[in-house]
Amino acid sequence: MLSLTFGLIAALAWGIHDVCASTATARTGIPMTMLAVLTTGLLLVGPAALILGDWRMVTWPGLSLAALSGATYTLAAFGLYRAFSIGPVRLVSPVIGAFPILSLLVAAAQGRYPTLGQWLAVFAIVLGVAMIAVLTDHHDHPADSDAARPAHATRTALFWASLSALGFGTTFALGQAASQAGNEWPTILVTRLSALAVVGTFVLFRRVPLPWQGAPWKLLAAMGFCDATALGLVQAAGSLPHAEFAAVTSSIFGVVTILLAWAFLKERLGALQWGSVAVVFAGIGYLAL
């Protein structure tokens, strides 16, 4: 199923993006990271959209949906960065990774009712992602107890994580609807322009200082390429059967991040973590049937 393939490639791209994100945000801050990532993605997407896009199919409803998708994506990305900067992985990752449930609810509201088996497969994927996050964070930070964390920090982290999950679910629903109302390339371009406009307005209005000197430009460019690829694929799946499955499989980017750390950074995975990985891919395998 092509929508599943798009989602898996998106998960791989976002997994690579997240491996780089902690280093980038620590050196440049969240606003600068988002601005650089969105700008790099625009430089990559823009020429392709202008050359390959069928602009005759563009409609005002499609452009409006794409613009809204870009705005909600900035909310989702900012919420993700903020949540991970405040709370531990085991607290925020399961909340953020639950956004595929919203994608299924949107599909059901549009008349594409998932079967019981598909619901169970999605819950298995969400549960597997959550278990991997919990087990990995507990293994890496055994001394970081919830009792030692201020209650307000926990609530703040959960707030941003919930906002991120809502943002991702809304972004994918709007982006795929925009693709159905027009052509994929113009949709992807308008989404990125909208996201960049929101971040740029925030930076100018709040007069956020941007550390241009010493910024890890190659790292930020790589993140921009991965982000543009991932978001574009999930949006492009809007014209495919079972488009919601692209959003579902893209949600395993946290699993991809952990597997990349295991493969390249030699971080160890326990038996329960490997079991959770198996549960995730078993759910994806069922959806592919």
Side-chain angles (χ1 to χ4, degrees):
M1 188 180 295
L2 194 55
S3 59
L4 283 175
T5 302
F6 278 15
L8 287 172
I9 298 174
L12 175 60
W14 268 322
I16 297 172
H17 169 279
D18 286 358
V19 169
C20 304
S22 58
T23 300
T25 53
R27 293 178 60 179
T28 64
I30 296 175
M32 178 66 178
T33 299
M34 292 183 65
L35 194 64
V37 167
L38 289 170
T39 301
T40 303
L42 179 63
L43 293 176
L44 294 170
V45 168
L50 294 175
I51 296 172
L52 302 176
D54 188 352
W55 291 87
R56 295 171 299 178
M57 296 180 62
V58 171
T59 63
W60 282 113
L63 291 179
S64 300
L65 289 170
L68 287 174
S69 178
T72 56
Y73 183 65
T74 60
L75 177 66
F78 186 83
L80 183 145
Y81 288 138
R82 284 289 293 155
F84 279 117
S85 69
I86 299 171
V89 173
R90 68 173 176 271
L91 180 67
V92 300
S93 187
V95 177
I96 297 173
F99 71 79
I101 297 175
L102 178 60
S103 298
L104 286 191
L105 292 174
V106 171
Q110 294 174 341
R112 304 192 306 271
Y113 299 101
T115 65
L116 177 60
Q118 290 170 342
W119 273 110
L120 292 175
V122 171
F123 277 114
I125 293 170
V126 172
L127 178 62
V129 171
M131 287 302 299
I132 293 169
V134 170
L135 292 169
T136 300
D137 190 60
H138 178 73
H139 174 75
D140 291 343
H141 306 284
D144 183 20
S145 65
D146 292 329
R149 188 180 308 106
H152 67 86
T154 299
R155 289 193 298 269
T156 303
L158 288 175
F159 168 77
W160 285 111
S162 301
L163 212 58
S164 179
L166 180 62
F168 279 123
T170 306
T171 294
F172 298 148
L174 292 172
Q176 291 181 347
S179 292
Q180 294 169 3
N183 185 254
E184 290 86 357
W185 278 112
T187 297
I188 294 170
L189 177 58
V190 172
T191 298
R192 191 143 295 261
L193 282 170
S194 173
L196 184 59
V198 171
V199 175
T201 300
F202 173 82
V203 168
L204 289 174
F205 182 76
R206 296 294 299 269
R207 297 182 180 179
V208 178
L210 300 177
W212 299 102
Q213 294 183 347
W217 294 112
K218 292 182 179 179
L219 193 65
L220 292 170
M223 290 172 62
F225 172 79
C226 290
D227 180 68
T229 300
L231 182 58
L233 285 172
V234 176
Q235 286 186 309
S239 58
L240 301 174
H242 295 291
E244 63 276 9
F245 290 167
V248 171
T249 50
S250 71
S251 71
I252 70 168
F253 60 84
V255 178
V256 173
T257 302
I258 293 169
L259 291 177
L260 288 172
W262 166 77
F264 296 104
L265 302 180
K266 307 304 179 184
E267 294 186 5
R268 296 180 61 186
L269 293 180
L272 289 177
Q273 290 167 306
W274 282 116
S276 300
V277 171
V279 169
V280 168
F281 284 98
I284 293 173
Y286 181 85
L287 294 178
L289 295 177

